[in-house]
Amino acid sequence: MMQLIEIKDLHVCIKNKAILSGIDFVLAEGKITSIIGPNGSGKTTLLKSICRIVKPSRGSIALKGVDINKIKTKAFAGDVAFMTQHHECPSDLTVRELVEYGRYARRTWWKGGGREDQEIVDWALAKTGMECFAHRMLVTLSGGERQRAWIAMSLAQKPKLLILDEPTTYLDICHQLEILELIKALNRDEGITVLMVIHDINQAVRFSDELLIIREGKIYASGHACEIINEENLKEVFRVNTHIFYDSETKKPFFYPKNVFGG
Amino acid sequence: MFPTKSNNAASMIEKTGWKAAMLIIFAITAVSGFLLSNAIGTMRISIPDIINAIFVQKEGPIHQVIWNIRLPRTIVAVLVGINLSLSGVILQGVMKNPLADPHIIGISSGAGLAGIIILILLPQYAYLVPPVAFLGAMAAAALIYILAWRGGIQPIRIILAGVAVSAFLGAGISGLLVFYSDRVHGALMYMAGGLSARSWPHVYIILPYTVLGCLIAAFMGEKLNILVLGDDVARGLGLNVEATRLMLTAAGALLAASAVCVAGLLGFVGLIVPHTARLLIGTNHKVLFPASAILGAAVLTLSDTLARTAFSPKEIPVGIIMAVLGSPFFLYLLRREG
């Protein structure tokens, strides 16, 4: 298994407050890895450090063995796509226009979007089931459709690694599953490595190969769901009492929350 | 529930057609503005005579009027209109704020104070107003940028620093006007903005910046489109956010400063023309840049013609004409949109 991302002794301070301290972590290629942890534990900061949006105060992050700060901005965008939690866009932007922006890093001003570009945009729209919305304005779409449009933009970057920050927040259960199944399909069919932050622990277990639990800026546990999702860990990290069951089909654990621990 | 593909395609064609029609209308208006500005005045000159006087006939009264008076003034109007409009589009995009315009980054207050110091305290050096106003504008913009800098630039900090610096410099302007109330006439004309007696030297001052603006409009449209999606998204797409923002802000400042230094404090164009263009043809900067530039040239040439001729022989500052006629039109567009 290739190491796609290798993080060594990562420390991040924002306004003199330590957000992440001493993160050591290797992201294996070809898998779906989900980061879970309580609010304010540093999940998003970890994603943003990998995407070079947040500068580490110590430590290093390497992409395929190369320090990410030594990679050119456009080359980096060709390997890593980042989908933020909050989106803003002009009111008359269409889905297709948005997806075309995904090709920005691969284009040069003297050689605009050629046929290959257009084919990749078509492919990204098809993969996300957004073809019939291609000429719709983003603001006229439902939350789930809009999320798929942003995923299509990330896909158009043709990334090896897709990083998503809470892709299912604010969606109803059906659209949550739709997005997660899409992510799973992209991982399976296109071989895209996925790293995401997700709040619903049961969904994280259900759709991920690996889990990473973060608490107070440190890695609390990492590995397969069966190894790390148990009553003690959930109590320790999330301060909740739970019942753990096992799904007979996937053999993966899922939990039922009882009450707040010590509350 | 969802529109079919054919519906989509139809609405797309309709939209593209609408945008093309709008661009053509803007262009026709700009050409009309250019010709009218040359044709109308104490001496009426027909369009064939104008073309003749520009390209063929090199002497005679018509050639004198066109070549020495009306043509350079019209060209200044075109260039000022282009520069202020492009500056407004750039700043509104970079700051992601609909109220952003050359005022916001201190151009008007910087140029205003510098120009008025010359006009009031050193009137014998009035010919130095353009370069001094330009320096004042760029100094104010740089000061605001430095004050707002903290490991990078947040648009909201620029806007707030801009408000504070503009208020500070504005106090200087008001102070000078109050203390030297006997000398305010020239200063007031300068603050209202106008193109009276502008000629070839002014064309040469502003032209290089218009060329810069047109280069930006041609090559930076997509970068600005991506910047508008937010810093994190733009970085993820491979855009060098800080460098792009610095370059565009600097270009916006240069464009506005060059316009203000030849035409005085024309406040209206940089704010309303980009908004009008946006309401009519949408937010894609690849189209919005050329559309705003053309519309800016049209608005300024037509307004200046009116300013020159409406109450002839007395001239009204063009800034007043634009505000009086443009504001109601803009409000009408805004209502229609809602």
Side-chain angles (χ1 to χ4, degrees), chain B residues 159-181:
Chain B
I159 289 170
L160 292 176
V163 169
V165 168
S166 293
F168 186 80
L169 299 177
I173 297 177
S174 307
L176 282 173
L177 292 182
V178 169
F179 281 119
Y180 296 90
S181 50

Short mmCIF file of all heavy atoms in Angstrom, two decimals, chain B residues 159-181:
data_model
loop_
_atom_site.label_atom_id
_atom_site.label_comp_id
_atom_site.label_asym_id
_atom_site.label_seq_id
_atom_site.Cartn_x
_atom_site.Cartn_y
_atom_site.Cartn_z
N ILE B 159 -11.68 47.11 3.89
CA ILE B 159 -12.82 48.02 3.81
C ILE B 159 -12.87 48.90 5.06
O ILE B 159 -13.05 50.12 4.97
CB ILE B 159 -14.12 47.22 3.62
CG1 ILE B 159 -14.14 46.64 2.20
CG2 ILE B 159 -15.35 48.09 3.85
CD1 ILE B 159 -15.24 45.65 1.94
N LEU B 160 -12.68 48.29 6.23
CA LEU B 160 -12.75 49.08 7.47
C LEU B 160 -11.57 50.05 7.55
O LEU B 160 -11.74 51.22 7.91
CB LEU B 160 -12.78 48.15 8.68
CG LEU B 160 -14.07 47.33 8.79
CD1 LEU B 160 -14.01 46.36 9.96
CD2 LEU B 160 -15.28 48.24 8.92
N ALA B 161 -10.36 49.58 7.20
CA ALA B 161 -9.21 50.48 7.20
C ALA B 161 -9.45 51.61 6.20
O ALA B 161 -9.10 52.77 6.45
CB ALA B 161 -7.93 49.72 6.84
N GLY B 162 -10.08 51.27 5.06
CA GLY B 162 -10.36 52.27 4.03
C GLY B 162 -11.31 53.34 4.53
O GLY B 162 -11.10 54.54 4.30
N VAL B 163 -12.35 52.92 5.25
CA VAL B 163 -13.30 53.89 5.79
C VAL B 163 -12.58 54.83 6.75
O VAL B 163 -12.75 56.06 6.71
CB VAL B 163 -14.46 53.15 6.52
CG1 VAL B 163 -15.29 54.13 7.32
CG2 VAL B 163 -15.31 52.41 5.50
N ALA B 164 -11.73 54.26 7.63
CA ALA B 164 -11.04 55.08 8.63
C ALA B 164 -10.07 56.06 7.97
O ALA B 164 -10.07 57.26 8.27
CB ALA B 164 -10.30 54.17 9.61
N VAL B 165 -9.24 55.55 7.05
CA VAL B 165 -8.26 56.43 6.40
C VAL B 165 -8.96 57.51 5.58
O VAL B 165 -8.57 58.68 5.61
CB VAL B 165 -7.29 55.60 5.51
CG1 VAL B 165 -6.46 56.51 4.62
CG2 VAL B 165 -6.39 54.75 6.39
N SER B 166 -10.04 57.13 4.87
CA SER B 166 -10.76 58.12 4.07
C SER B 166 -11.36 59.20 4.95
O SER B 166 -11.33 60.39 4.61
CB SER B 166 -11.87 57.44 3.26
OG SER B 166 -11.31 56.60 2.30
N ALA B 167 -11.89 58.81 6.11
CA ALA B 167 -12.46 59.81 7.02
C ALA B 167 -11.37 60.75 7.51
O ALA B 167 -11.56 61.97 7.59
CB ALA B 167 -13.13 59.10 8.20
N PHE B 168 -10.20 60.18 7.82
CA PHE B 168 -9.08 60.97 8.32
C PHE B 168 -8.63 62.00 7.27
O PHE B 168 -8.51 63.19 7.55
CB PHE B 168 -7.94 60.01 8.66
CG PHE B 168 -6.77 60.66 9.32
CD1 PHE B 168 -6.81 60.96 10.68
CD2 PHE B 168 -5.63 60.98 8.60
CE1 PHE B 168 -5.73 61.55 11.30
CE2 PHE B 168 -4.55 61.59 9.21
CZ PHE B 168 -4.60 61.88 10.57
N LEU B 169 -8.44 61.51 6.02
CA LEU B 169 -8.01 62.43 4.95
C LEU B 169 -9.12 63.42 4.60
O LEU B 169 -8.85 64.58 4.30
CB LEU B 169 -7.60 61.63 3.71
CG LEU B 169 -6.44 60.66 3.90
CD1 LEU B 169 -6.19 59.87 2.62
CD2 LEU B 169 -5.17 61.41 4.30
N GLY B 170 -10.37 62.93 4.68
CA GLY B 170 -11.51 63.81 4.41
C GLY B 170 -11.55 64.99 5.36
O GLY B 170 -11.92 66.11 4.99
N ALA B 171 -11.15 64.74 6.61
CA ALA B 171 -11.09 65.83 7.59
C ALA B 171 -10.11 66.90 7.13
O ALA B 171 -10.36 68.09 7.27
CB ALA B 171 -10.69 65.27 8.96
N GLY B 172 -8.99 66.45 6.55
CA GLY B 172 -8.01 67.40 6.03
C GLY B 172 -8.61 68.25 4.91
O GLY B 172 -8.43 69.47 4.86
N ILE B 173 -9.36 67.58 4.00
CA ILE B 173 -10.00 68.31 2.89
C ILE B 173 -10.96 69.35 3.43
O ILE B 173 -10.90 70.54 3.08
CB ILE B 173 -10.74 67.32 1.96
CG1 ILE B 173 -9.74 66.34 1.31
CG2 ILE B 173 -11.52 68.08 0.89
CD1 ILE B 173 -10.38 65.29 0.43
N SER B 174 -11.84 68.91 4.34
CA SER B 174 -12.83 69.84 4.90
C SER B 174 -12.14 71.00 5.60
O SER B 174 -12.54 72.16 5.47
CB SER B 174 -13.74 69.12 5.90
OG SER B 174 -14.29 68.00 5.30
N GLY B 175 -11.09 70.68 6.36
CA GLY B 175 -10.37 71.72 7.09
C GLY B 175 -9.83 72.78 6.14
O GLY B 175 -10.02 73.98 6.36
N LEU B 176 -9.18 72.34 5.06
CA LEU B 176 -8.62 73.29 4.10
C LEU B 176 -9.71 74.15 3.48
O LEU B 176 -9.56 75.36 3.32
CB LEU B 176 -7.87 72.54 3.00
CG LEU B 176 -6.48 72.03 3.37
CD1 LEU B 176 -5.92 71.17 2.25
CD2 LEU B 176 -5.55 73.20 3.66
N LEU B 177 -10.85 73.49 3.13
CA LEU B 177 -11.93 74.25 2.49
C LEU B 177 -12.49 75.30 3.44
O LEU B 177 -12.85 76.40 3.02
CB LEU B 177 -13.05 73.28 2.05
CG LEU B 177 -12.69 72.33 0.91
CD1 LEU B 177 -13.88 71.47 0.54
CD2 LEU B 177 -12.19 73.09 -0.32
N VAL B 178 -12.55 74.97 4.74
CA VAL B 178 -13.11 75.92 5.71
C VAL B 178 -12.13 77.08 5.94
O VAL B 178 -12.50 78.25 5.91
CB VAL B 178 -13.43 75.20 7.04
CG1 VAL B 178 -13.74 76.22 8.13
CG2 VAL B 178 -14.60 74.25 6.83
N PHE B 179 -10.84 76.75 6.12
CA PHE B 179 -9.87 77.79 6.45
C PHE B 179 -9.59 78.72 5.29
O PHE B 179 -9.25 79.87 5.45
CB PHE B 179 -8.56 77.16 6.94
CG PHE B 179 -8.64 76.72 8.36
CD1 PHE B 179 -8.48 75.39 8.70
CD2 PHE B 179 -8.90 77.65 9.38
CE1 PHE B 179 -8.56 74.98 10.02
CE2 PHE B 179 -8.99 77.24 10.70
CZ PHE B 179 -8.82 75.90 11.03
N TYR B 180 -9.70 78.18 4.06
CA TYR B 180 -9.42 79.01 2.89
C TYR B 180 -10.68 79.16 2.05
O TYR B 180 -10.67 78.95 0.85
CB TYR B 180 -8.29 78.39 2.06
CG TYR B 180 -6.98 78.34 2.80
CD1 TYR B 180 -6.66 77.22 3.56
CD2 TYR B 180 -6.09 79.41 2.76
CE1 TYR B 180 -5.47 77.17 4.27
CE2 TYR B 180 -4.90 79.36 3.46
CZ TYR B 180 -4.59 78.24 4.21
OH TYR B 180 -3.43 78.20 4.90
N SER B 181 -11.76 79.57 2.71
CA SER B 181 -13.05 79.57 2.01
C SER B 181 -13.05 80.54 0.83
O SER B 181 -13.86 80.42 -0.08
CB SER B 181 -14.17 79.90 2.98
OG SER B 181 -13.84 81.06 3.71
#
